[in-house]
Structure formats: C-alpha cells, structure tokens
Amino acid sequence: MYADVILPLPLSGLFTYAIPAEMQHKIGRGFRVTVPFGRRKYYTAIVTKIHRQSPENFTVKEIQSLLDSTPVVTEQQLELWEWISFYYLSAQGDVFKAALPSPMMPADLQPGFIPKSEIYLRINPTLDDIAISASIGKARKQQLLLDEIMWFLTETGRESISKREVKELTGYSPAVLNGLLRKEILHLFSVGRSRLHQKTAPTRTPYPLSEEQQKALDTIQSSFSDKQTVLLHGATSSGKTEIYIHLIHQLLTEGKQILYLLPEIALTTQLTQRLQAVFGDKIGIYHSGIDDQERTEIWQKMLSETPYEIILGVRSSLFLPFRRLGLVIVDEEHETSYKQQEPSPRYHARDTAIMLAHMSGAKTLLGSATPAIESYYNAQTGKYGLVTLNKRFGNIEAPLVSLQNTKDLRRRKKMKNLLAPVLMDEINKALENGEQAILFRNRRGFAPMVECKSCAWTPKCNHCDVTLTYHKKANSLICHYCNTSYPLPSGCPSCHEGELKSLGTGTERLEEEVAQLFPDAVVARMDSDTTRGKDSFERIINDFQENRIQILVGTQMISKGLDFGNVRVVGIVATDSMLNYPDFRSHERGFQLITQAAGRAGRRDKQGVVIIQTVDPQQPIYRFIIRNDYESFYQSQITERKLFKYPPFTRLISITLKHKDERKVESGAAFICQQLRQSLGNRVLGPNKPIISRIQQQHIREVLLKIDHHFSPSQVRELIKTAESRLKGNGDLKQILLYYNVDWV
C-alpha cells in the first residue's frame, strides 16, 4: 500500500511513500507521519490519500513512523485546504504550512509540541513525625518552612503544593528548600498543566435588543431560510455586536459551533470581554499573537470531545477543526486585513469563510457599516440576503462631520501646526468635560521621508526602490518594505553641505506635537511600532477605556470596530493621502477608513464631532461621508467599475514576477503575457513596472488579468499553469519566481 502525503514546507507538492506492513491497518487520511526527504533529512507530513497504485520512474521510500492514533486533520479541513490551493493558485504545501501550528509539524526530527508542566512538592509518606524530626535535627529554618508547608496543606485540604506557592511562604529560600529535598523529607513531581485560560463563568445574559435590533435579527433569521450568506449593513454604533451575541446564543442551544472572525488582533481584546461576560469559557481565542504551543493546545481541544463552542479569532482561525459548525460571523467584512498578502497562500478570509460554511452546512453573516463594493453588489443582486440597520443604538445622532481646508488655513496663516484651529478647540472642550479624543493618521513613523535642504538628496533603501521613513524615537531611517534600519546621517552624504529636513507627518510626529499642544493630557500612540510587545494591544486599549489616556493617536487599527464610550472628538489628519493612491479601490478604502474612524465618536449619550483635514474639500467623496450616504457612494462606484470592467464585473488575478536580474524579469514578464494573450487576448494587461519595482534586491514586474465570469476558475488555472510551465522550461528564465494574487485586493 502507498500513501500520498503533503509536506507543509516549501518542498510543496504531493509525494508518494510506501506504507510499512505494521502501519497499514493504523494509518489513514489526516494522520501525521514522519518521512525521509533528501540526505538524512526527516519531515513531518500529512497523509492525504491511501492507495495501491505503484508510482513509476522513481524508487519509493518508506514512511518512517506514524505519529498519531487518530487523525489530527479532518476530512472537511482537507477539502477546504485543497479548495484554497486550487482557487488561489498556491501550492498545497503552502496551505498546510499556513494552517497547522508549527509544533505540530516539526522538521528533521526536531521536538514539536511540548506539554506544559508545573513542579509540585509533597511530604514523603514513608516518614513519620519522629523520623522527620530526627532528620531535620537543629536546622530551625528547615523546620520553619516545613511547618508552613504542612499548615498550607491542612488549610487547603490538599496533599501537594506547587513550587510557585512554596516561594510565596515566609520561610522560603532556595537553600532551605534544597535542604529538605536532599534529606528526602519532601519529594518533587511534575503535573501536566494546560496553557489555555482557566474556567470563566458568565456574568450576564444577552442584553434585550432595541426594536430596530430585534427587527434586524428577525430578518437575518428569515433570510437564512433561503440564503446561505447574509450581509448586515449596520451603521457604526448601531449595536451589531449585540445582534451577533443573540444569534450565537441561539446557535449554542442547537448544539452548534460558531466561528467569529475579526480583521485585527486588537479587536479581540475588547470583544473577548464582552463575549466572556455572556458565554464564559465556551470561547477560545485564536490568532498569531498567541504562542505556537498554546495554538497547538487549542487545536487539540477542538479535536477532543469537549471543544470550544465559540472561536474568536483572525483569519488563521479558519483552519481549525470544526465538527458542528453552524454559523460563521465575519465582522468588519470590508477590511483589507482579511486578505493574506505574504506569504502564500494569498487567500481572502471572508470568501474562504463563506466556502467553509458551505462545506459545513453552516450559515455566514457578514457585518459592516461600510461593506465592500463586491459584497453589497452580491446583496443587491440577490446572491446574499441584505439586512439594514440605519439607526445608532439608543437613537444617538450620528457624529457631526466638518471639513477643514488646511491649504487655505495655511495660506491665511491661521494654521501654525498639524491641527486646524477648530480641531484644537474641540479637543480642548472635550478635555475640559473629561472626554477623550482620537487622532487618525494612516502613516506610521515620524516623517515619511527626509531631504537635503541644499541638493534635495533623499535616502533610499539599499535593497528596495523606496524612500526611508524617519523614526525619531529610534533615531533611524527604516524601510517599511524590508524593515532594514539605517543610522540617520548627521549631514548630507551627497553634497556634504546641506542639512537634512524631515518631510510629511507620521503618527510619531503627530503624537509629539499633540503632547506639546495639550501638556495636561496623557497622549498615547497605537500603531504597529507601539504594539509589537506582548499584551501591548490590551494595555493601550484598556488604558484608553479606563480614561488613563485622554488623546489616542493611531493608524488604521484604531478605526476598526473599537468601542470607546467617552470619545467625543475624532480628527482625521492628512486625509487626501488615502484618496490619491493609484488604485481603483482607493476611494472605496478612503471612504471606509474615514467613515469607520468617524464612527468612533459619540457612541454613548452625546453626539460626537469629526473634523476632516483636507487640501481638497471639493472632492466628491466628502459629500457622501458628511451625509453618511453609503448608498449614493456605492452607486457612483459601481457605475465606474462597470464602465471600466473592474470587480464585481470581472475577476482580477495579479501575477508578480521577481528576479535579481532586471533584464531576465522583464523578459519573463513579456513571455508570460505573450503566452496568456494567445487565449485571453486583451484581458491580459501589462507587463507593468510597479511604483516600488525592487524589494529585497528582487526586481519586480506585474501582469494583471481581467477575467470575465464566463471563464471558470479551472479554465483560468489551466491557462496560467501552462504558461508557467513553459516559462520554467526556458533555461534562461526558469529561476524567475512567480506569485499569484487571485481576487487581487
């Protein structure tokens, strides 16, 4: 018998191994095995198929060992992962590598999952009081510690005490404890311990819904009778989360599991508290911020007889084993964070969640105040159900949005810093009333670039064609593409005369200036620079929620569904940079970011104020934002997309080619275009040289495919893979790296 296995490594592809006789009745699909690969190398692989077809043209090696007594990957998971590999044009090995926690797939016989244990001590049961007294003798400190341990055991009714608890006793010292161990009065032993959070009891039932919320919930439930997917288009602060809680509560009574997807780790912090208050320890949290050993324990628990009934997590939680999945909630479904960019597989978590629900016989609920154009189109055309929730909870008025023309203000010398006078006045009013403010700038660092005052020299990365961002706290220049850090020159290395000046504004500079403008307020920053440490998200969010921070400066992560009840003012700085990016989705993303950021203001009992700083207040998109008119914005965008054949009227597939030799990558891109145009004609655009055309010493060219919907994914895949194989057959171009981004976002 033979087994086809997949290695979750860049070795990508199916490999066939012979099954030793002693394993043939124990092995099956979804089991882990150890297999030899290369010279004295051993890897962990997953069995995908058992068969009797003897491979031809190569010698079949034997599986070395079987690691499991039961499958660790379910049939449903394998089916989903095979679909991801097929649809997103990625190698199966890349999908398995993304899906499984690394301790489950150790390479080359390295240790994998390590169970957590804790050291305990107990009194030697073979010794009586006389023997113990004789053994201790005149060692008074040892007697004191032993008396404290015996008192602890009597009070707690236990037979053992953890080493951690012993260290808290008054008479403890390492030397005294070691003395008792040497005399064998105390014995050490190890107890296995879970890394998962301890039992948490619910503290409340779901809150009663408002009339509008209840109507929305009823409509969702009725829509699920004939639609597998429903879009909940609810205004910011309309109470979508409480609707989700009621749906979850209902599904739990039916014995179903729920997957609750969020776009950012930061959102899990706040939402975990709300869900645990209602559902207690039925919730498991799963994301990349959790260490690999704990993720492995969660995986094992999901395979056990007592799995988590609710999983709250980011896109990686799609890969967990579910046995009774009844509902998938994709909150903030419009977020680009749901699209995996690097490395492969470049899947979209929203679309993959819909496929997971379909395979599981479950339902999918998409929620957003600013739905993706594609999702809203699917709802308008009847593919999805559509439920609208227009009013904020408690009938609180939407924030009052105003524009500030910073170009005019600077011309009239009325704006002398980064904040418009109106925004400063509103922040002062909020601080006087004990309220808070959020300032949104979608660019981290102190300044996007530095420049010589004399010769206009600008430092660039040695490995990428991109200017370096100045980070003042680190006093360095950092490439935001490869993360290489460079020291800040003391002068211009080009002309040796001019001084360097910083240009533009990042969150670091905004934080510094705001702290100077409002010296009595506590100012903090939330971006990827300040949230790298463990629990840093939680610390900043909790401090802001508890009013220990009065002004929060941040990038787009502060705009994604966070609920702060005391925020009255939201300021959006340098708004135009979000709208002037060369991408057909730039206005959609700008509308979403600005609307979501504005939605953080006035979420309780007071109307909030939103100040948008712009140099182009006549930009049409601002009219839609001020009126909070998503429908009109959607109509303007869908008309434009239909005219230029962009999604949802076509599918976009981006093909990226990389090589250290620019000549070769240009030739390879031209070759791919020529091959694909034979079948796809003018649907092939390019090859193009992107704005950032070199990253990490690799030159880049891009080819874009606009695919009509009458082409099936299998047709397109076959055409692309044929072109790729012909490229790889060209000896001069075979080393070119190809990457595919299906449904390019």
Side-chain angles (χ1 to χ4, degrees):
M1 290 181 68
Y2 301 93
D4 288 345
V5 305
I6 189 71
L7 294 168
L9 293 161
L11 302 171
S12 296
L14 285 172
F15 300 89
T16 302
Y17 287 85
I19 304 175
E22 64 273 14
M23 292 186 198
Q24 291 186 1
H25 298 292
K26 302 176 183 178
I27 199 169
R29 190 164 146 95
F31 283 73
R32 290 180 306 163
V33 292
T34 302
V35 296
F37 195 96
R39 296 184 60 187
R40 297 187 295 277
K41 292 280 187 181
Y42 293 90
Y43 294 101
T44 305
I46 296 247
V47 176
T48 61
K49 183 181 178 182
I50 304 292
H51 59 88
R52 295 183 179 275
Q53 299 172 355
S54 177
E56 300 178 359
N57 303 324
F58 67 91
T59 303
V60 181
K61 297 180 180 180
E62 279 197 343
I63 291 173
Q64 187 200 44
S65 62
L66 177 63
L67 299 180
D68 308 299
S69 57
T70 57
V72 296
V73 177
T74 66
E75 290 283 342
Q76 181 181 288
Q77 284 176 289
L78 289 171
E79 184 183 357
L80 178 69
W81 300 353
E82 287 165 4
W83 176 83
I84 293 172
S85 171
F86 168 80
Y87 185 81
Y88 290 103
L89 298 169
S90 59
Q92 288 193 37
D94 293 338
V95 181
F96 285 110
K97 184 178 181 182
L100 285 160
S102 56
M104 294 183 68
M105 307 302 290
D108 202 17
L109 302 182
Q110 294 298 312
F113 176 64
I114 303 171
K116 189 173 184 178
S117 61
E118 188 169 5
I119 303 298
Y120 277 76
L121 301 99
R122 61 185 166 209
I123 298 172
N124 188 340
T126 64
L127 299 179
D128 56 22
D129 292 345
I130 297 174
I132 291 174
S133 180
S135 182
I136 289 180
K138 296 181 179 181
R140 295 179 60 188
K141 290 184 179 180
Q142 291 180 11
Q143 183 65 56
L144 175 62
L145 180 57
L146 182 62
D147 289 344
E148 289 189 41
I149 291 173
M150 294 177 71
W151 174 86
F152 178 91
L153 297 177
T154 302
E155 287 293 310
T156 58
R158 287 162 41 184
E159 295 181 353
S160 60
I161 180 173
S162 71
K163 194 171 182 181
R164 172 177 48 82
E165 291 168 327
V166 170
K167 290 180 179 179
E168 296 174 0
L169 299 177
T170 305
Y172 167 79
S173 76
V176 174
L177 178 60
N178 288 334
L180 291 172
L181 291 170
R182 280 195 302 271
K183 294 176 180 179
E184 296 190 353
I185 296 171
L186 295 177
H187 283 172
L188 287 175
F189 65 99
S190 179
V191 175
R193 196 174 149 213
S194 173
R195 293 178 173 86
L196 307 183
H197 62 262
Q198 301 301 311
K199 289 188 176 296
T200 306
T203 57
R204 70 172 179 91
T205 56
Y207 292 131
L209 298 179
S210 68
E211 183 179 345
E212 291 80 9
Q213 286 175 316
Q214 187 61 54
K215 183 179 178 181
L217 177 61
D218 294 340
T219 309
I220 291 169
Q221 291 171 326
S222 63
S223 297
F224 277 149
S225 62
D226 64 337
K227 302 287 185 185
Q228 184 191 340
T229 304
V230 174
L231 172 64
L232 174 58
H233 179 204
T236 55
S237 194
S238 59
K240 294 187 292 294
T241 303
E242 204 60 36
I243 293 175
Y244 301 154
I245 288 173
H246 277 257
L247 268 176
I248 292 170
H249 190 267
Q250 178 187 326
L251 268 291
L252 290 179
T253 61
E254 299 173 8
K256 300 291 187 179
Q257 290 175 301
I258 296 92
L259 172 59
Y260 194 138
L261 282 178
L262 294 166
E264 291 276 359
I265 295 173
L267 290 178
T268 63
T269 302
Q270 200 173 59
L271 193 56
T272 298
Q273 299 168 359
R274 293 183 66 176
L275 294 182
Q276 283 182 339
V278 181
F279 303 111
D281 55 9
K282 294 178 180 178
I283 301 171
I285 315 299
Y286 193 84
H287 53 67
S288 59
I290 297 170
D291 70 69
D292 286 337
Q293 299 290 339
E294 186 174 341
R295 295 175 77 195
T296 303
E297 279 201 36
I298 293 173
W299 189 288
Q300 293 173 344
K301 182 173 175 62
M302 293 299 288
L303 289 169
S304 72
E305 295 299 317
T306 56
Y308 284 118
E309 295 174 72
I310 306 165
I311 287 290
L312 176 66
V314 295
R315 57 178 183 253
S316 59
S317 54
L318 283 165
F319 296 116
L320 284 169
F322 295 93
R323 298 187 184 276
R324 297 175 281 106
L325 189 63
L327 176 67
V328 180
I329 297 170
V330 186
D331 199 12
E332 309 295 341
E333 64 84 28
H334 65 278
E335 276 292 342
T336 56
S337 303
Y338 280 124
K339 185 72 161 77
Q340 166 77 6
Q341 298 295 345
E342 293 292 342
S344 176
R346 296 169 182 84
Y347 65 99
H348 200 300
R350 178 196 62 216
D351 300 337
T352 306
I354 292 171
M355 179 56 66
L356 169 65
H358 172 72
M359 292 177 174
S360 308
K363 303 294 184 181
T364 307
L365 179 61
L366 311 178
S368 176
T370 53
I373 297 295
E374 291 89 338
S375 297
Y376 200 72
Y377 176 81
N378 286 333
Q380 290 287 339
T381 55
K383 184 176 180 180
Y384 300 164
L386 176 61
V387 180
T388 303
L389 191 61
N390 290 322
K391 295 182 179 179
R392 283 187 152 200
F393 183 76
N395 290 321
I396 298 170
E397 293 185 68
L400 184 64
V401 181
S402 68
L403 300 178
Q404 291 296 305
N405 188 337
T406 54
K407 183 178 180 181
D408 182 61
L409 288 170
R410 291 188 189 281
R411 181 179 60 80
R412 292 189 289 139
K413 312 237 184 267
K414 290 191 174 183
M415 185 172 170
K416 299 178 181 178
N417 49 61
L418 297 176
L419 303 184
V422 171
L423 178 54
M424 292 181 61
D425 290 342
E426 292 293 346
I427 293 174
N428 274 317
K429 289 178 188 176
L431 295 177
E432 289 170 4
N433 295 327
E435 297 166 328
Q436 296 167 294
I438 287 176
L439 296 176
F440 174 57
R441 171 67 175 119
N442 200 30
R443 190 182 291 271
R444 65 187 175 98
F446 188 86
M449 61 185 291
V450 295
E451 182 181 86
C452 174
K453 290 182 179 181
S454 298
C455 68
W457 172 84
T458 299
K460 290 188 176 182
C461 179
N462 294 333
H463 312 292
C464 313
D465 282 339
V466 63
T467 55
L468 299 171
T469 300
Y470 175 45
H471 287 249
K472 187 174 182 179
K473 186 175 180 181
N475 194 34
S476 61
L477 300 169
I478 298 176
C479 174
H480 284 182
Y481 282 81
C482 68
N483 287 323
T484 303
S485 178
Y486 301 85
L488 180 70
S490 56
C492 177
S494 178
C495 68
H496 305 289
E497 295 178 0
E499 293 181 30
L500 297 179
K501 63 177 180 179
S502 59
L503 300 176
T505 302
T507 50
E508 191 179 12
R509 180 177 177 182
L510 183 58
E511 177 195 24
E512 180 182 284
E513 186 159 315
V514 169
Q516 294 171 354
L517 292 171
F518 305 96
D520 296 331
V522 178
V523 182
R525 173 165 49 99
M526 190 163 87
D527 55 25
S528 57
D529 294 324
T530 62
T531 54
R532 288 177 180 169
K534 188 178 180 183
D535 301 328
S536 52
F537 282 116
E538 291 88 341
R539 176 180 51 79
I540 296 172
I541 290 171
N542 288 336
D543 285 350
F544 193 63
Q545 202 162 346
E546 298 296 325
N547 211 21
R548 289 190 287 269
I549 297 169
Q550 283 76 55
I551 303 174
L552 182 62
V553 176
T555 54
Q556 60 181 345
M557 63 176 61
I558 67 173
S559 71
K560 299 181 179 181
L562 293 169
D563 185 14
F564 301 117
N566 197 37
V567 174
R568 182 178 171 272
V569 181
V570 169
I572 303 175
V573 180
T575 312
D576 308 280
S577 62
M578 292 184 282
L579 306 176
N580 297 328
Y581 196 76
D583 183 345
F584 77 97
R585 285 193 175 94
S586 64
H587 276 204
E588 178 189 7
R589 289 175 178 165
F591 179 88
Q592 290 165 343
L593 276 172
I594 296 167
T595 303
Q596 291 287 341
R600 302 314 105 205
R603 297 177 67 89
R604 290 294 186 269
D605 54 353
K606 296 179 182 178
Q607 185 181 28
V609 176
V610 178
I611 310 294
I612 298 174
Q613 297 189 175
T614 174
V615 297
D616 184 16
Q618 302 305 314
Q619 171 67 253
I621 193 174
Y622 293 132
R623 295 200 304 271
F624 302 129
I625 293 170
I626 290 171
R627 299 198 307 258
N628 195 24
D629 188 358
Y630 176 84
E631 183 64 37
S632 297
F633 169 74
Y634 165 78
Q635 291 298 335
S636 71
Q637 289 292 297
I638 205 71
T639 301
E640 190 174 286
R641 292 198 184 186
K642 187 173 184 179
L643 178 64
F644 294 104
K645 295 184 178 180
Y646 279 113
F649 302 102
T650 56
R651 290 175 61 224
L652 293 185
I653 300 177
S654 172
I655 304 174
T656 301
L657 297 91
K658 294 183 179 181
H659 197 276
K660 290 186 177 181
D661 186 330
E662 188 171 13
R663 180 189 60 81
K664 285 187 177 181
V665 80
E666 283 183 348
S667 299
F671 180 87
I672 285 287
C673 282
Q674 181 263 329
Q675 292 291 313
L676 291 174
R677 282 198 178 103
Q678 294 177 14
S679 301
L680 297 175
N682 60 8
R683 299 176 186 87
V684 181
L685 306 180
N688 303 314
K689 185 176 181 179
I691 297 172
I692 309 299
S693 61
R694 185 173 63 100
I695 297 177
Q696 294 180 328
Q697 302 288 18
Q698 298 277 344
H699 293 276
I700 302 169
R701 294 295 182 270
E702 292 176 346
V703 177
L704 185 64
L705 308 183
K706 275 187 179 179
I707 306 298
D708 301 322
H709 288 298
H710 68 262
F711 282 92
S712 70
S714 56
Q715 277 182 290
V716 177
R717 179 187 172 87
E718 183 64 30
L719 291 172
I720 291 173
K721 287 298 182 181
T722 299
E724 179 185 353
S725 65
R726 288 174 180 167
L727 178 74
K728 296 297 184 183
N730 186 323
D732 194 41
L733 305 176
K734 65 181 180 180
Q735 298 301 324
I736 292 176
L737 299 175
L738 270 76
Y739 300 95
Y740 303 109
N741 196 334
V742 178
D743 297 337
W744 176 59
V745 173

